[in-house]
Amino acid sequence: MKNFLLRKKLIITLSSLLFMIAAIMLSFLLYEFVICINSNQMNLGQERLKETAFQGASYVKNIMKIQIEHIRGLASRLSKYESLSHDVVKDFIKDVAKGTQFNYIVVDVLSCDSYTSEGDVSKIKDIDYLKDVEINGYKVTDVLKSSFDNTISIEIICPIMNYGSVAGAVRGVLYPEALRRNLNTMLFDGEGYCTLFDSKGKYLTYSDNYNVLVYQDDYLEIMRKFTFDQGYSIEQLEDNISNGRPNFAAYSFNDEHRYSYSMPIGINNWYFNLVVPKWVIDKNSIDLNKKCITMVFLIAIIFIILAIAFILFGYLVNSMMDEISKNNEEMHFEEKKLDLILKRSEDIFFDYNITDEVTKFSAKFEEVFHRKPIEKGLPLSAIESGVVHPESSAAFIKFFEDIRKGVPVVTEEMRIKDNSGKFIWCLFSSFSFFNKKNIPVKGLGIIEIINDKKEMENKYNEVQKYKSSIDSEYIFKCDINLSKNFYLSGYEEILSTTNIESENNYQNILRLIARDYFHVDNMNELMLKNNPNNLISLFISGTTDPAFEYKITEHDKTEKWLYFRYKLYESPSTKDICAIVSIIDISEQKRKEAELIDKAEKDQMTGLYNKTTTEKLINDWIHNYDSSLGALMIIDIDNFKNVNDMFGHLYGDLVLKKLAEDLKSVFRANDVVGRIGGDEFFVFLKKLYSESFIDEKAKEICRLFHRIFEEKGISCEISSSIGIALFPKHGNTLDELYRNADTALYISKEKGKNNFTIYNWESFKGYGVRTEIDPL
């Protein structure tokens, strides 16, 4: 029994010692766990600080980019003027500063005049800065300090190009206080403060809650006064800032521990600096420490109890095993949930390891491109295999070079080939990760398919280029929403010019203009071709640039030719079908065309059709024969040579002109009257209803041409001989009609001139000629 008790006592003692040792070891492990958790919380806090600093730097950069683009836009507009005269620049700059963050805007002209948006005009003392602006395209200055009142400012300068050379520059002057308002929104949980400075340490501005007790002009000079924590130093800070790298620092000031993160903005050598008290980052760790201490105390009590009661120890072990199993199940569930999210995401994820140049892609890549990705040796391996579009090669190389350099966020738009050989527009985005030595080790990124976006951008850019191209040639320009049948712009201009009163209804205004200015035939055509439904149908069928021309009569009876030119497009925002309509006055062009046609068709002396046109018009009518009758008349002037011999060729030309005018007045507008050479004329009568009409016209010509001219006691008599052939009775072609009419003309000459003859082949045997017209 005694031995049993001794053994039991020994077992209890040993068990107690084992439990005590286990409790001590477990307490040590819990201590290490707390240290690890604290370290992890610290790292998470620093990552949040880094992310907040990055967002602040990006925000400031975007603000400055907007201002740069505004100044570049003003410079571009001024570049379109032929000369930057005093009046041009003064009128231009009057209102340009409105709606911007600039305190004022300045236009410097190479002639040494400087104009401000505040109305001041002065002489430029130094224009050498324009050379740097010309080389770089634009310039953002460092902080400029006024010698007058010590105020500081920043200038954005863009050149004004004129015929390939710099004619001046536009300067946007921005007081850093304009950026200060934005800094107040970039704090870390509302604590600490943020500042802007350049790589030399000179401040640009700071948030409202900046610690004025340490305010100086030089950021680096301030930092030299602080006590840095172990692992951080002023030398490390200066090296990172001078080389354009981000920097994290922990230091003390007046017994207050602080964390600082400086992030390069990407403009000049500016930095965004965010400072927060250490307690803001550590507050989560403090709460965790309290909980862990409480846990250690409770576990110690539990182990004392377990030393007394082995059963409770077993129960505690089982409970802990159940908790671990539950945690493993939760972790497994979270992994499954993350995997499900990645599979259902429409984007492609990738992980680029800088050391071994191996890239891992999510399964979405093969679903989109229908091929396996190239994972090793990027970017050169992909370019050599031809999967990157040649125009995107430079951007593809730069994307991976920026990741290797440690650029925090890298984005590029590129075209990548799929399995079918089609190139797809993609937006590559990557976030850089660094090791403890602040060396970039990998890039985690997303590939977004942006084909639709690029197509929309191209269409929008095409519309904008079209708008710019027609600015100098139209008399009216309108932008119309065809889907909703109203004007987007140009509505008031049309109403004021046409004196039409109407609501903003495109089809109704078109109908009123057609009614007041267009002939009924043109009006119907205008309404048919220019109505919204027809234009939308043209766009759907692939026609984006229809054009129509019309002749109109204004209220003063002036006739004009108008050219309606459309640019049909789909609105990127509403998806409505819209149209840019430019209406151009082409009256002068039409007049010149008519003059050229008239010159080509007419005999220059008499104004009648020339031989070529006369034959063409007759052949066209014969070709389109409509069962009606026609007649060809060949008219020859008898004794006209005597006029030229007696009175001279100039006199003879005047006689020909007068005879041509009289001859044209005898016939209808649709009849063909032409001069085929010398003193010989052609007349072709269309759509005859009786041969008696020909007889009357022939007699009338004979009367008109029978004249006697007297000059200085000399007289000369002329007359006409006419040969006539009927269509289709005497021939189905112009050649046949001409031969038979010429035969009839010859008979008229034989008869003694001053008469006409209608061809009759039976009567012409033995030169028998009829002088009376047979019935049809």
Side-chain angles (χ1 to χ4, degrees):
M1 185 67 178
K2 184 178 180 180
N3 291 333
F4 174 76
L5 292 174
L6 287 174
R7 286 197 299 272
K8 185 178 179 181
K9 185 178 181 179
L10 180 62
I11 290 172
I12 293 173
T13 302
L14 289 174
S15 298
S16 299
L17 287 174
L18 288 174
F19 279 110
M20 290 288 291
I21 294 171
I24 293 171
M25 293 179 64
L26 183 59
S27 298
F28 177 76
L29 289 175
L30 285 173
Y31 173 77
E32 290 294 326
F33 174 74
V34 170
I35 296 298
C36 181
I37 291 295
N38 283 338
S39 175
N40 185 52
Q41 288 292 323
M42 182 70 67
N43 290 335
L44 290 175
Q46 291 181 11
E47 285 297 321
R48 279 193 60 205
L49 183 64
K50 173 184 176 181
E51 180 182 353
T52 306
F54 171 73
Q55 292 173 352
S58 299
Y59 187 72
V60 173
K61 182 177 181 181
N62 288 335
I63 290 174
M64 292 301 297
K65 278 189 173 182
I66 291 171
Q67 308 311 315
I68 290 170
E69 289 303 316
H70 188 82
I71 295 301
R72 292 179 73 173
L74 295 178
S76 176
R77 287 168 56 189
L78 279 171
S79 297
K80 296 180 180 179
Y81 291 97
E82 293 186 0
S83 64
L84 299 178
S85 65
H86 174 80
D87 291 337
V88 167
V89 178
K90 186 176 180 182
D91 292 341
F92 177 85
I93 202 172
K94 185 180 296 181
D95 297 319
V96 295
K98 294 181 179 179
T100 71
Q101 292 191 13
F102 292 106
N103 294 86
Y104 60 93
I105 295 178
V106 182
V107 175
D108 295 332
V109 183
L110 207 57
S111 61
C112 297
D113 290 323
S114 181
Y115 305 81
T116 73
S117 57
E118 298 179 343
D120 298 328
V121 181
S122 60
K123 295 294 183 180
I124 304 175
K125 295 180 180 180
D126 182 10
I127 62 174
D128 289 340
Y129 79 90
L130 291 178
K131 297 178 181 177
D132 294 335
V133 176
E134 180 181 9
I135 294 172
N136 300 324
Y138 73 89
K139 178 180 180 182
V140 179
T141 67
D142 289 325
V143 176
L144 304 174
K145 193 169 186 178
S146 171
S147 60
F148 176 69
D149 56 2
N150 290 328
T151 59
I152 63 173
S153 63
I154 303 163
E155 291 188 4
I156 300 173
I157 308 171
C158 290
I160 302 171
M161 306 302 295
N162 196 307
Y163 298 104
S165 62
V166 174
V170 178
R171 293 186 286 133
V173 180
L174 187 69
Y175 293 155
E177 280 70 24
L179 298 173
R180 185 175 184 173
R181 295 188 296 270
N182 299 306
L183 295 185
N184 294 326
T185 64
M186 303 176 188
L187 303 179
F188 186 92
D189 291 344
E191 300 291 341
Y193 60 85
C194 50
T195 61
L196 295 178
F197 63 90
D198 62 21
S199 62
K200 297 180 181 178
K202 191 167 185 179
Y203 276 113
L204 279 75
T205 188
Y206 47 85
S207 60
D208 290 338
N209 53 351
Y210 180 68
N211 191 343
V212 296
L213 296 177
V214 298
Y215 175 73
Q216 291 186 14
D217 286 342
D218 194 323
Y219 167 78
L220 296 177
E221 189 64 30
I222 293 173
M223 296 301 290
R224 292 189 183 95
K225 297 181 180 180
F226 299 153
T227 302
F228 284 81
D229 292 359
Q230 184 176 1
Y232 306 97
S233 66
I234 186 65
E235 291 78 16
Q236 182 185 39
L237 170 64
E238 290 176 338
D239 180 63
N240 285 335
I241 297 299
S242 63
N243 287 284
R245 295 192 295 263
N247 185 80
F248 175 81
Y251 59 87
S252 301
F253 174 70
N254 289 342
D255 296 327
E256 179 183 86
H257 287 275
R258 296 178 178 178
Y259 290 145
S260 168
Y261 205 98
S262 300
M263 179 68 69
I265 293 176
I267 295 178
N268 288 8
N269 294 317
W270 296 359
Y271 269 79
F272 176 84
N273 176 241
L274 180 61
V275 179
V276 297
K278 183 174 182 292
W279 64 265
V280 176
I281 302 295
D282 295 348
K283 61 183 179 181
N284 292 330
S285 297
I286 293 172
D287 294 338
L288 185 62
N289 284 337
K290 291 179 180 179
K291 293 179 181 179
C292 287
I293 291 171
T294 302
M295 184 182 296
V296 171
F297 180 76
L298 292 175
I299 291 176
I301 294 175
I302 292 172
F303 265 88
I304 292 173
I305 295 173
L306 288 176
I308 299 170
F310 185 75
I311 297 175
L312 295 178
F313 172 74
Y315 176 77
L316 178 64
V317 170
N318 289 333
S319 298
M320 291 178 65
M321 292 300 295
D322 290 341
E323 187 68 21
I324 292 172
S325 176
K326 181 180 179 181
N327 289 337
N328 288 336
E329 289 178 359
E330 290 180 353
M331 289 178 62
H332 180 71
F333 176 75
E334 290 297 326
E335 290 177 357
K336 289 289 185 181
K337 186 165 66 173
L338 178 61
D339 183 59
L340 180 63
I341 291 172
L342 291 178
K343 287 182 178 179
R344 297 177 71 89
S345 172
E346 294 300 321
D347 296 326
I348 303 166
F349 295 88
F350 67 89
D351 184 345
Y352 175 67
N353 191 307
I354 295 176
T355 303
D356 55 15
E357 293 188 347
V358 173
T359 309
K360 299 295 183 183
F361 293 85
S362 63
K364 192 70 177 178
F365 184 96
E366 294 188 32
E367 182 181 333
V368 173
F369 291 94
H370 305 289
R371 62 174 176 81
K372 292 187 177 296
I374 297 174
E375 297 184 338
K376 294 184 179 180
L378 293 178
L380 295 180
S381 58
I383 293 174
E384 290 172 356
S385 64
V387 300
V388 179
H389 193 282
E391 294 179 1
S392 299
S393 296
F396 196 72
I397 293 173
K398 182 178 181 299
F399 179 80
F400 285 92
E401 285 181 350
D402 287 346
I403 296 176
R404 287 196 288 267
K405 290 177 182 177
V407 177
V409 179
V410 188
T411 58
E412 292 287 350
E413 293 182 352
M414 295 172 278
R415 282 186 279 180
I416 306 300
K417 186 187 293 185
D418 65 8
N419 190 50
S420 67
K422 176 185 176 182
F423 284 98
I424 300 174
W425 273 106
C426 305
L427 175 63
F428 280 66
S429 302
S430 175
F431 301 88
S432 297
F433 290 84
F434 303 81
N435 60 17
K436 292 183 178 180
K437 296 181 180 180
N438 205 30
I439 297 173
V441 293
K442 69 166 50 182
L444 182 61
I446 300 173
I447 303 175
E448 179 184 355
I449 306 303
I450 58 170
N451 262 342
D452 293 341
K453 173 189 171 186
K454 293 299 293 184
E455 182 179 354
M456 193 66 68
E457 284 181 0
N458 292 335
K459 289 182 178 179
Y460 178 77
N461 291 333
E462 182 182 349
V463 170
Q464 296 307 309
K465 289 179 181 178
Y466 178 80
K467 285 184 177 179
S468 300
S469 69
I470 65 174
D471 279 346
S472 60
E473 60 181 13
Y474 67 89
I475 56 175
F476 291 120
K477 183 176 74 172
C478 313
D479 205 343
I480 304 166
N481 186 318
L482 297 172
S483 299
K484 294 187 171 61
N485 192 33
F486 67 83
Y487 288 86
L488 297 170
S489 66
Y491 164 65
E492 294 82 359
E493 182 182 3
I494 286 184
L495 294 189
S496 63
T497 306
T498 59
N499 296 320
I500 290 174
E501 295 184 2
S502 174
E503 61 183 3
N504 188 349
N505 182 297
Y506 164 67
Q507 195 163 6
N508 187 47
I509 293 174
L510 183 68
R511 179 180 59 79
L512 294 174
I513 292 174
R515 180 198 66 186
D516 291 351
Y517 292 93
F518 284 71
H519 186 270
V520 63
D521 295 335
N522 283 339
M523 180 176 66
N524 294 335
E525 182 183 353
L526 178 76
M527 294 302 297
L528 178 65
K529 291 184 177 179
N530 296 268
N531 75 76
N533 292 333
N534 181 59
L535 294 172
I536 291 173
S537 297
L538 290 175
F539 179 79
I540 293 174
S541 65
T543 301
T544 59
D545 300 278
F548 316 107
E549 59 181 43
Y550 304 101
K551 186 177 182 181
I552 69 167
T553 303
E554 297 190 310
H555 291 302
D556 61 359
K557 305 304 179 183
T558 303
E559 290 188 346
K560 279 187 177 180
W561 279 93
L562 299 182
Y563 184 70
F564 286 59
R565 187 169 67 184
Y566 288 84
K567 182 67 176 180
L568 305 179
Y569 67 96
E570 183 181 58
S571 171
S573 56
T574 66
K575 305 301 181 183
D576 290 337
I577 307 302
C578 301
I580 302 169
V581 188
S582 56
I583 304 174
I584 305 168
D585 186 346
I586 59 171
S587 302
E588 182 63 20
Q589 175 185 335
K590 284 290 187 179
R591 184 188 63 79
K592 291 180 179 179
E593 288 178 359
E595 288 179 354
L596 291 173
I597 293 172
D598 189 70
K599 187 175 181 180
E601 292 181 345
K602 298 297 180 64
D603 174 60
Q604 297 302 302
M605 179 189 297
T606 63
L608 302 179
Y609 290 122
N610 57 31
K611 182 177 183 296
T612 301
T613 305
T614 300
E615 292 176 351
K616 180 182 181 304
L617 294 174
I618 296 172
N619 280 320
D620 288 346
W621 189 85
I622 292 174
H623 179 73
N624 297 304
Y625 175 52
D626 60 357
S627 301
S628 60
L629 301 179
L632 176 64
M633 306 175 69
I634 301 178
I635 305 166
D636 186 76
I637 302 175
D638 302 324
N639 306 319
F640 184 73
K641 183 175 180 301
N642 295 337
V643 175
N644 286 331
D645 292 343
M646 293 179 181
F647 306 118
H649 286 279
L650 291 177
Y651 191 91
D653 290 346
L654 293 175
V655 171
L656 282 176
K657 289 181 183 179
K658 177 60 178 170
L659 292 175
E661 291 175 2
D662 294 341
L663 181 63
K664 190 172 182 180
S665 67
V666 171
F667 295 95
R668 299 165 298 180
N670 65 331
D671 292 330
V672 180
V673 182
R675 180 186 178 213
I676 61 174
D679 57 356
E680 192 170 55
F681 300 92
F682 259 21
V683 176
F684 190 82
L685 292 87
K686 304 176 181 177
K687 294 188 177 181
L688 296 178
Y689 298 99
S690 69
E691 292 186 10
S692 61
F693 181 76
I694 302 171
D695 185 38
E696 293 171 3
K697 290 297 180 183
K699 290 177 181 178
E700 189 173 356
I701 293 171
C702 288
R703 287 195 299 269
L704 285 173
F705 278 46
H706 189 196
R707 304 186 185 189
I708 299 175
F709 302 98
E710 293 187 1
E711 292 287 338
K712 298 179 182 180
I714 303 174
S715 64
C716 180
E717 179 181 3
I718 65 171
S719 60
S720 62
S721 296
I722 305 172
I724 305 171
L726 304 179
F727 175 86
K729 187 176 181 180
H730 301 141
N732 292 315
T733 65
L734 178 58
D735 288 342
E736 291 177 343
L737 293 173
Y738 175 77
R739 286 195 301 270
N740 293 332
D742 189 58
T743 301
L745 173 64
Y746 178 76
I747 300 303
S748 294
K749 292 282 188 181
E750 289 290 311
K751 289 166 53 180
K753 304 178 181 179
N754 193 23
N755 61 77
F756 68 92
T757 303
I758 297 178
Y759 177 78
N760 187 332
W761 69 273
E762 293 180 352
S763 301
F764 282 1
K765 295 178 181 179
Y767 298 103
V769 179
R770 69 172 184 167
T771 56
E772 298 294 329
I773 300 176
D774 295 333
L776 290 173

